[in-house]
Amino acid sequence: KQEVTQIPAALSVPEGENLVLNCSFTDSAIYNLQWFRQDPGKGLTSLLLIQSSQREQTSGRLNASLDKSSGRSTLYIAASQPGDSATYLCAVRYNFNKFYFGSGTKLNVKP
Amino acid sequence: GAVVSQHPSWVICKSGTSVKIECRSLDFQATTMFWYRQFPKQSLMLMATSNEGSKATYEQGVEKDKFLINHASLTLSTLTVTSAHPEDSSFYICSAPPMGGAGEQYFGPGTRLTVT
């Protein structure tokens, strides 16, 4: 059974800190992995997509890495800002019809 | 970037009535769209896969006669919650991977359904 776990469930940091969000998955035969951001009561905004053949992707202050063999992905946020406060979700895709979401990490960046 | 819209953004209905939610891809075509449900403080759970020109496929435990899905065109999928009950109150989100894309999903803004 495919399971996706995100740690920590919640994180509160002062502005300017670098931080790491973790995502682990039980089945390493993934197609791709995608990180999303969700603001309260809103839909999902795609942040980064990593194909199974890739090891990392970068966009601005965000960097996501993928280690299939250990079943892990990390999202690194540099120089955090209050506007980064949101829930971050990772989603693992195994085939065209199957996406599995983690329960999310709720991030609060304090000014 | 690719944009997915949903309508309505929120709806309140009485128990026993039906509600239709639309999901549109505005600037790309999608042969497949996905419908998710999200309860408060929980993650997204896939309900069904909407396939253009054919029947939808439902996840285990999701009643296909209660959640009717129609994928009318390459840019539109609808989810109809029939005979809604208070326990159907939730946040419904659709997503779509663009045809010919890299497998990335784009999500709609969601529809908040409240059944009284």
Side-chain angles (χ1 to χ4, degrees), chain A residues 5 8 16 18 25 28 34 37 40 49 52 54 58 62 65 70 77-78 80-81 86 95-96 107-109:
Chain A
T5 304
N18 302 322
F25 43 94
S28 62
Q34 197 166 353
R37 166 188 174 137
L49 169 69
S52 63
Q54 298 173 326
T58 298
L62 305 179
S65 66
S70 64
I77 302 177
S80 58
Q81 303 171 358
N95 60 44
F96 192 71
L107 172 65
N108 178 36
V109 180

Side-chain angles (χ1 to χ4, degrees), chain A residues 5-7 20-25 30 33-35 48 50 55-56 63-68 70-76 90-92:
Chain A
T5 304
Q6 289 187 246
I7 295 174
V20 175
L21 307 182
N22 297 293
C23 173
S24 61
F25 43 94
I30 71 171
L33 183 147
Q34 197 166 353
W35 282 93
L48 290 165
I50 309 178
R55 294 192 66 84
E56 68 175 342
N63 175 277
S65 66
L66 175 64
D67 184 343
K68 279 199 314 178
S70 64
R72 294 179 183 177
S73 176
T74 61
L75 178 66
Y76 177 82
C90 74
V92 179

Side-chain angles (χ1 to χ4, degrees), chain B residues 30-105:
Chain B
T31 56
T32 301
M33 294 184 176
F34 302 95
W35 287 96
Y36 296 84
R37 180 166 52 183
Q38 185 179 35
F39 291 107
K41 299 185 179 180
Q42 296 185 25
S43 191
L44 280 72
M45 295 297 295
L46 179 65
M47 297 176 64
T49 303
S50 173
N51 304 297
E52 191 271 336
S54 64
K55 292 182 179 180
T57 54
Y58 291 82
E59 294 301 297
Q60 190 173 11
V62 178
E63 300 175 57
K64 62 180 180 181
D65 294 331
K66 180 172 184 60
F67 298 99
L68 302 180
I69 291 175
N70 182 268
H71 199 136
S73 72
L74 291 173
T75 60
L76 173 65
S77 175
T78 60
L79 168 67
T80 301
V81 182
T82 62
S83 187
H85 289 101
E87 57 265 32
D88 298 324
S89 299
S90 187
F91 193 53
Y92 292 85
I93 306 178
C94 69
S95 74
M99 287 174 59
E104 187 169 3
Q105 282 201 90

